[in-house]
Amino acid sequence: MALTSEFALARRELDPLFQAAPAVVIPVNHDLYVKKGVPPAMREYFSPWLGNRSPYLHEHGEVGALHIETCKPDLLSRGYVPPHELEEATELLNGREDLFVFLCLHYP
C-alpha cells in the first residue's frame, strides 16, 4: 500500500544487502499506483538506489542497470513506455558497449 511504515521495514531488512553489494531499487505498480508517482517515503528511504527519472542508467563499474518505468497508472493497470522514453534509453546506452547492462522493468 506504499505506507511509510512499509518502506521503513523494507529498508531495515534490506540494509545488509545494500551494505554488501551494489543495488538498484525500482518502484513498481503497488508503489506507483497508490500514490501516482514515486511516494515521498520511498524516496526518503531508498533515494541512493533509485533513479531520479525514467529511463535511468545506474552504473556500478562495468555493470549497469537500465531502469525504464513501465507502470503507468490507468484503469487497466498495464505497462506502457512512451516512445520518447525508449529513444532516451537508446541515447543512454550509445557508446557504452563496454558496459554489461541489465534491463530493469516491471512489465515485459
Side-chain angles (χ1 to χ4, degrees):
M1 304 255 330
L3 300 174
T4 299
S5 60
E6 294 170 326
F7 291 117
L9 174 63
R11 172 62 193 272
R12 191 168 51 252
E13 294 297 317
L14 292 171
D15 204 53
L17 175 65
F18 293 151
Q19 299 302 318
V24 173
V25 172
I26 63 170
V28 293
N29 60 329
H30 289 272
D31 304 316
L32 298 174
Y33 291 169
V34 174
K35 303 292 184 185
K36 299 200 187 271
V38 177
M42 188 174 199
R43 287 233 175 262
E44 176 185 344
Y45 286 98
F46 295 102
S47 62
W49 303 278
L50 283 169
N52 57 9
R53 57 185 310 275
S54 175
Y56 189 83
L57 181 60
H58 303 265
E59 295 186 53
H60 300 284
E62 296 176 354
V63 177
L66 177 63
H67 171 229
I68 301 175
E69 185 51 64
T70 59
C71 296
K72 304 296 184 201
D74 65 20
L75 293 175
L76 300 176
S77 295
R78 59 185 169 168
Y80 174 75
V81 179
H84 75 275
E85 288 186 19
L86 294 176
E87 292 169 9
E88 291 174 27
T90 300
E91 287 299 315
L92 287 171
L93 296 176
N94 277 344
R96 299 309 316 264
E97 291 79 16
D98 61 322
L99 194 64
F100 183 90
V101 178
F102 289 94
L103 177 59
C104 302
L105 44 86
H106 183 65
Y107 288 100

